[in-house]
């Protein structure tokens, strides 16, 4: 299939590449099929591009790398909600809120997305925590990553 995305350009992907997000991503619950677009020059960020709505794409960042405690919490919460969660290809991502000033990029740590790459499914998990964690600054975590 081909998709022309304003964010990612012309994408070619197989239907088997689609990640199914049954409940959608708040508040975009009608879009349930996505593809992960990772480009080396944008690392550690990736695009979560909707296949249902070409204009809809989220920037995501791997929590395991940037906020490992929140990643573990999200993965555990996901596993509790799955009847048989034996996949070893699970990853937790935070949705990034872009800003013109890179020092003001934020990430939502209260509503991460857990992706099961083996089953091609994903689900947004709502975690407990202070409301401020919906807009956690990314710059300190990125700086730590650069020095690691």
């Amino acid at each position: 299939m081909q998709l022309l995305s304003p964010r990612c350009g012309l994408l070619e992907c197989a239907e088997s590449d689609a990640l199914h997000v049954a409940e959608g991503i708040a508040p975009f619950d009608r879009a349930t099929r996505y593809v992960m677009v990772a480009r080396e020059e944008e690392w550690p960020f990736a695009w979560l591009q909707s296949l249902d709505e070409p204009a809809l794409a989220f920037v995501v960042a791997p929590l395991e790398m940037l906020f490992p405690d929140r990643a573990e919490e999200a993965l555990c919460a996901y596993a509790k909600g799955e009847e048989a969660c034996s996949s070893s290809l699970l990853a937790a991502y935070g949705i990034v809120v872009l800003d013109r000033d890179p020092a003001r990029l934020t990430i939502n740590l209260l509503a991460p997305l857990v992706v099961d790459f083996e089953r091609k499914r994903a689900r947004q998990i709502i975690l407990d925590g202070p409301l401020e964690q919906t807009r956690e600054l990314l710059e300190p975590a990125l700086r730590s990553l650069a020095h690691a």
Side-chain angles (χ1 to χ4, degrees):
M1 87 174 16
Q2 286 190 335
L3 176 80
L4 183 57
S5 160
R7 306 278 188 310
C8 299
L10 183 62
L11 296 175
E12 294 213 25
C13 59
E15 187 63 39
S16 61
D17 293 332
L19 297 170
H20 184 67
V21 185
E23 298 91 23
I25 297 172
F28 306 99
D29 57 344
R30 288 192 203 159
T32 59
R33 295 177 318 130
Y34 291 85
V35 67
M36 188 80 69
V37 179
R39 298 180 176 133
E40 190 175 322
E41 67 272 12
E42 295 172 338
W43 182 89
F45 303 104
W47 289 95
L48 188 66
Q49 172 64 56
S50 170
L51 296 175
D52 300 317
E53 298 180 32
L56 179 62
F58 300 95
V59 175
V60 294
L63 293 183
E64 289 94 346
M65 188 179 299
L66 299 169
F67 298 93
D69 292 345
R70 288 311 258 185
E72 185 176 339
E73 192 175 342
L75 293 172
C76 288
Y78 179 86
K80 286 180 187 174
E82 293 295 308
E83 290 176 17
C85 185
S86 60
S87 175
S88 61
L89 298 174
L90 291 177
Y93 293 89
I95 296 175
V96 176
V97 179
L98 300 176
D99 193 283
R100 290 188 191 276
D101 179 358
R104 292 179 42 188
L105 290 176
T106 60
I107 190 167
N108 184 336
L109 297 178
L110 287 186
L113 187 71
V114 174
V115 178
D116 182 337
F117 286 103
E118 184 177 328
R119 295 181 182 175
K120 302 293 185 182
R121 296 191 312 199
R123 191 170 81 226
Q124 190 172 31
I125 305 291
I126 307 302
L127 301 174
D128 291 329
L131 193 55
E132 293 81 24
Q133 286 191 330
T134 60
R135 296 264 180 165
E136 186 78 24
L137 283 173
L138 251 174
E139 197 265 334
L142 290 171
R143 191 175 38 228
S144 294
L145 182 62
H147 295 320

